[in-house]
Amino acid sequence: MSEHLRPAEKKITESDEFIAHALEGASIPTLMMSLVHITGDTSVLRGPIRPKVVMLGGVQGALSEEEQASVRRMALEALKAYRDRGCTLPLQPSPELVQEMMNFMVGERVGDEYVPMMLEELALDGNDSRAPRWSRAVPAAEREKFHVLIIGGGMSGLLQALRLKEAGIPFTLVEKNNSVGGTWYENRYPGCRVDIANHFYSYSFEPYAWSEYFSQRDELLAYFRNFAHRHGLEEHIRFNTEVTAARYDEAGAVWEVELKSAEGTRSMRANAIVSAVGQLNRARIPEIAGREEFQGVQVHSAEWDPTLELKGKRVAVLGSGASAFQLVPEVAKIAAKLYVFQRSAPWMLPNPLYHEAVSPQFRWLVQHVPYYGRWFRFLIFYPGSDGILPALRIDKDWPHPERAVNALNDHFRTQLIEYLKSQVNGNLALLEKVTPKFPFMGKRMLQDNGSWLRALQQPNVELIDEGVSRIDASGIVASSGHYEVDVIIYATGFHATRFLWPMSVIGRAGKRLSEVWGDEPRAYLGITVPDFPNLFCLYGPATNLAHAGSIIFHSECQVRYATACIQALLENGAKAMECRREVYEDYAQRLIAELETLVWSHPACDSWYRNRAGRVVTTSPWRLADYWKWTRAPDLKDYTLTS
Ligand SMILES: Cc1cc2nc3c(=O)[nH]c(=O)nc-3n(C[C@H](O)[C@H](O)[C@H](O)COP(=O)(O)OP(=O)(O)OC[C@H]3O[C@@H](n4cnc5c(N)ncnc54)[C@H](O)[C@@H]3O)c2cc1C
């Protein structure tokens, strides 16, 4: 049998004792996958030790201590032999074997359609198969006549920049901040961290040995900054520059763009625009009467002032969504008094790893054991994404729509209420306040390790289960009374439904994007819109993921698609491509119909996913497997190409 060395992982040179110690920190189902790679022996997949169905957040497959110890012993022998033979591996497993491994790892049959997608995600052959490929050679002189403008240097814009660079297509990235990183640059409130596990919330082709399972803002920002630096993207970026307007010149098939910076307003021309402005980038403060009267400090969570002193202060946090959930436990530690104003209690999933550091042993395994990090990614990816969709589907015949959308959804609800009960120390009034009044998964699920309810039960913290009526000079007025505070923190989210706002984008025939979209922004695959040729949106309408997926997965799909569209223009000698109206309309209708079958459209789920009319516009209803398939390559029949 021929052998190969996997270059991405470090060679093992450590002693038997060291390896045995490292294995103490292992996720056993993950280790079992590595065992197959290391030994080439598949008998472990057919033996008596089998992970049970894996729930989100579970990394041990409900295996007993004894079973775990037995796998560690096998792994120790295998790793010793692997080290002693110079860290070579047997042949790559076949796709059929990979599918068997997936089924085994998650304790259920993983559909056939996931195999190619997961093979790509796992990159078992070490190839970045989402990198751009040309179907026909386009001379450099042709490519150099074409220039792409990327708006935004967050996770999506940086990825787009890399792909254009790899394809040899000239581009400029314009970023309004003085740094890359987007979300992870701007959000610096205490406690800010990712709530999708990091071994999944990272580019598929740039694995990283994270120091926490859910890393904090600084480490995330460093990851994206390093990415930009390592790939030489900075030289293409204009920082501190905001795109304020873009107008399509049909005769020249070019976008005329207006840029604003401290030096004033300038213009530039681009053959194509990729918008990577994010969905959660424009902070929203609700219109509450009397805000201007308040004499203390007011701050939005996404516009945090690091010099803000909260020690000994009376503080109000408005909101109980994802940012408040992270911020409140931190503020509770230092504020003299903290009032949390909640309009709607969130659902949260117990996850003991939420604030946990990754042990040195686990990091060593990620860096040294073949495919360990890759399979750990799968373990946290699969159960929380498409696997959860059946619990979200509205069953019209279900007899208790007031509390759940179907029997499985109700089952989760019951379990999670038990989890809440276990944390309120018999305080039934608190339990009533923290029990969500909408079905499970109706809004973004929060990861919880008990810190939220512990904070709410501190003597200096009060949960006020009602909206704010008004603000006055000294604090907040609600129907339950007046609350004097020194600081008001708005954890009130973003203008998420106002896509590409506040830019003025004018397409063919003077069509204004904000008017075309109105309150109901839609785009084909969330990416393209008729009358707006050569405009591609990343993280655009209906591409947010609420069934626990990582937005990075979606951005990788969109960037691949947008890059392939731009390549197709060049390959076909075309100047412009525009989504055909019937394709767009058909997609929009299917999308609306699908969204209406899912929990986010339940009348009790009032969230940032919905527009003023109550329709879901930010979030995707699709299975990741389907979206991945549809965005693998553009079907040029969906577009009108102009030469
Ligand atoms: C607090 C918080 C926590 C989150 N946690 C998670 C999570 O756990 N998992 C997850 O999957 N997602 C999470 N998200 C969603 C997150 O936004 C995405 O994961 C991801 O960071 C989006 O990247 P992006 O590049 O598309 O957008 P962004 O990161 O928002 O970047 C957009 C960039 O565009 C720039 N920009 C905007 N308009 C202009 C303009 N007109 N001109 C020039 N530049 C412009 C902005 O300055 C910004 O740098 C979270 C969001 C927030 C706010």
Side-chain angles (χ1 to χ4, degrees):
M1 195 187 270
S2 73
E3 293 185 322
H4 70 279
L5 181 70
R6 178 165 160 77
E9 276 134 12
K10 295 182 188 167
K11 280 191 168 191
I12 298 181
T13 52
E14 288 79 357
S15 67
D16 297 0
E17 293 70 31
F18 185 99
I19 300 172
H21 176 65
L23 288 172
E24 291 300 319
S27 149
I28 300 302
T30 312
L31 197 56
M32 293 173 92
M33 298 300 98
S34 290
L35 264 175
V36 175
H37 287 282
I38 298 166
T39 60
D41 178 358
T42 55
S43 57
V44 70
L45 303 176
R46 288 141 209 162
I49 304 177
R50 306 186 71 82
K52 320 284 178 302
V53 171
V54 180
M55 268 304 294
L56 193 59
V59 297
Q60 295 299 9
L63 296 173
S64 70
E65 288 298 327
E66 211 173 294
E67 288 172 320
Q68 293 187 32
S70 161
V71 175
R72 276 192 212 99
R73 281 193 297 275
M74 278 189 268
L76 178 60
E77 292 315 309
L79 285 172
K80 279 166 28 186
Y82 167 72
R83 175 198 60 198
D84 296 344
R85 66 174 186 257
C87 300
T88 55
L89 290 171
L91 273 183
Q92 287 284 344
S94 65
E96 294 73 36
L97 177 55
V98 172
Q99 184 168 18
E100 189 183 347
M101 291 163 82
M102 287 179 193
N103 297 343
F104 177 85
M105 194 183 198
V106 297
E108 64 183 25
R109 191 179 152 73
V110 171
D112 293 348
E113 66 276 35
Y114 287 92
V115 177
M117 176 178 111
M118 291 314 308
L119 280 173
E120 200 183 273
E121 264 290 310
L122 295 174
L124 295 178
D125 55 5
N127 285 329
D128 171 11
S129 47
R130 291 180 186 158
R133 314 247 182 282
W134 290 95
S135 47
R136 127 180 141 61
V138 174
E142 286 303 307
R143 279 185 272 125
E144 275 152 24
K145 282 190 227 151
F146 200 88
H147 199 91
V148 181
L149 166 67
I150 303 169
I151 312 175
M155 171 277 290
S156 306
L158 291 177
L159 177 61
Q160 183 62 70
L162 172 68
R163 294 318 195 192
L164 289 173
K165 186 171 178 184
E166 287 169 340
I169 300 172
F171 66 93
T172 302
L173 190 156
V174 172
E175 167 53 59
K176 68 176 161 55
N177 295 325
N178 66 10
S179 167
V180 299
T183 288
W184 305 110
Y185 170 74
E186 293 191 7
N187 288 266
R188 58 188 77 179
Y189 58 82
C192 179
R193 64 174 74 231
V194 81
D195 56 17
I196 294 291
N198 258 134
H199 297 87
F200 179 24
Y201 191 84
S202 37
Y203 297 120
S204 61
F205 56 98
E206 293 263 342
Y208 180 68
W210 296 95
S211 68
E212 292 181 271
Y213 290 97
F214 296 84
S215 296
Q216 301 186 50
R217 176 262 182 189
D218 286 354
E219 190 167 7
L220 290 153
L221 178 59
Y223 174 82
F224 291 110
R225 279 185 170 158
N226 285 337
F227 178 85
H229 187 66
R230 205 175 39 261
H231 294 291
L233 305 178
E234 287 128 326
E235 64 193 80
H236 300 268
I237 305 180
R238 284 195 208 164
F239 288 108
N240 300 310
T241 306
E242 179 165 3
V243 175
T244 50
R247 176 187 281 273
Y248 188 66
D249 166 15
E250 197 172 353
V254 75
W255 283 93
E256 307 276 0
V257 182
E258 193 178 277
L259 308 176
K260 197 176 83 188
S261 69
E263 287 87 57
T265 304
R266 273 182 303 164
S267 58
M268 76 172 276
R269 310 182 99 205
N271 303 88
I273 294 181
V274 180
S275 163
V277 298
Q279 277 193 16
L280 306 178
N281 185 252
R282 302 285 175 167
R284 191 186 76 88
I285 295 188
E287 284 172 21
I288 303 172
R291 276 197 57 218
E292 63 296 342
E293 291 168 26
F294 184 60
Q295 297 298 304
V297 177
Q298 307 186 53
V299 65
H300 189 281
S301 57
E303 294 169 347
W304 196 257
D305 172 1
T307 65
L308 179 61
E309 183 54 81
L310 295 177
K311 197 166 174 3
K313 295 276 167 58
R314 296 164 303 172
V315 181
V317 171
L318 273 50
S320 53
S323 296
F325 195 77
Q326 297 182 333
L327 188 117
V328 161
E330 299 306 313
V331 177
K333 288 178 192 160
I334 46 177
K337 184 77 199 173
L338 171 60
Y339 301 106
V340 181
F341 288 85
Q342 161 190 282
R343 281 196 314 171
S344 144
W347 283 113
M348 46 206 194
L349 287 169
N351 191 335
L353 296 180
Y354 187 40
H355 287 179
E356 286 304 300
V358 174
S359 66
Q361 292 105 306
F362 191 96
R363 288 183 92 177
W364 184 87
L365 295 169
V366 169
Q367 289 165 330
H368 294 82
V369 174
Y371 304 105
Y372 182 88
R374 303 272 84 197
W375 280 102
F376 188 68
R377 184 175 172 98
F378 175 70
L379 184 65
I380 52 180
F381 180 143
Y382 184 75
S385 49
D386 292 349
I388 197 84
L389 270 173
L392 277 60
R393 188 85 51 203
I394 297 172
D395 174 357
K396 291 209 176 73
D397 299 325
W398 166 249
H400 302 291
E402 73 291 352
R403 62 169 199 244
V405 293
N406 63 34
L408 184 58
N409 186 271
D410 199 40
H411 167 74
F412 283 120
R413 175 190 176 85
T414 308
Q415 284 192 338
L416 292 181
I417 290 179
E418 284 308 310
Y419 173 65
L420 290 174
K421 268 188 204 156
S422 72
Q423 294 183 76
V424 296
N425 301 306
N427 183 340
L428 295 183
L430 178 62
L431 180 64
E432 173 59 20
K433 281 186 185 178
V434 298
T435 302
K437 309 292 183 285
F438 60 91
F440 163 74
M441 292 287 292
K443 302 184 191 184
R444 189 173 178 84
M445 294 300 295
L446 306 174
Q447 305 287 332
D448 182 59
N449 61 349
S451 57
W452 171 250
L453 275 165
R454 262 197 310 280
L456 295 184
Q457 292 172 88
Q458 281 182 213
N460 61 331
V461 180
E462 209 174 307
L463 177 63
I464 296 144
D465 191 23
E466 58 183 287
V468 169
S469 314
R470 62 171 278 120
I471 292 174
D472 65 14
S474 61
I476 287 178
V477 184
S479 46
S480 55
H482 182 259
Y483 299 87
E484 288 211 350
V485 292
D486 308 301
V487 181
I488 300 176
I489 300 171
Y490 297 93
T492 45
F494 301 86
H495 288 281
T497 58
R498 305 181 80 175
F499 288 85
L500 277 62
W501 181 79
M503 288 187 293
S504 153
V505 181
I506 300 177
R508 259 189 337 105
K511 296 250 174 79
R512 191 174 278 278
L513 189 58
S514 58
E515 285 167 11
V516 169
W517 274 348
D519 192 29
E520 184 129 0
R522 302 286 178 203
Y524 176 50
L525 299 168
I527 304 173
T528 52
V529 185
D531 291 324
F532 295 85
N534 295 6
L535 172 68
F536 306 95
C537 300
L538 308 179
Y539 201 9
T543 61
N544 183 55
L545 284 172
H547 50 295
S550 156
I551 303 297
I552 299 185
F553 175 82
H554 252 193
S555 284
E556 288 194 12
C557 294
Q558 291 145 18
V559 166
R560 163 145 81 181
Y561 186 91
T563 311
C565 283
I566 294 167
Q567 290 179 288
L569 280 172
L570 290 162
E571 286 165 349
N572 290 288
K575 283 196 181 127
M577 65 191 295
E578 181 182 338
C579 181
R580 285 174 37 220
R581 181 155 301 278
E582 60 275 25
V583 170
Y584 168 85
E585 300 286 1
D586 171 66
Y587 180 80
Q589 290 317 313
R590 284 189 288 120
L591 179 89
I592 291 167
E594 190 72 8
L595 281 165
E596 279 169 3
T597 69
L598 290 164
V599 63
W600 313 304
S601 298
H602 184 282
C605 299
D606 175 21
S607 70
W608 59 269
Y609 304 160
R610 302 173 89 150
N611 63 6
R612 283 193 294 279
R615 289 233 259 216
V616 175
V617 293
T618 61
T619 295
S620 167
W622 310 122
R623 297 188 318 163
L624 299 187
D626 293 327
Y627 191 73
W628 172 80
K629 198 163 102 200
W630 300 335
T631 52
R632 278 192 94 180
D635 182 346
L636 293 186
K637 291 197 289 304
D638 294 341
Y639 290 87
T640 308
L641 265 66
T642 321
S643 299

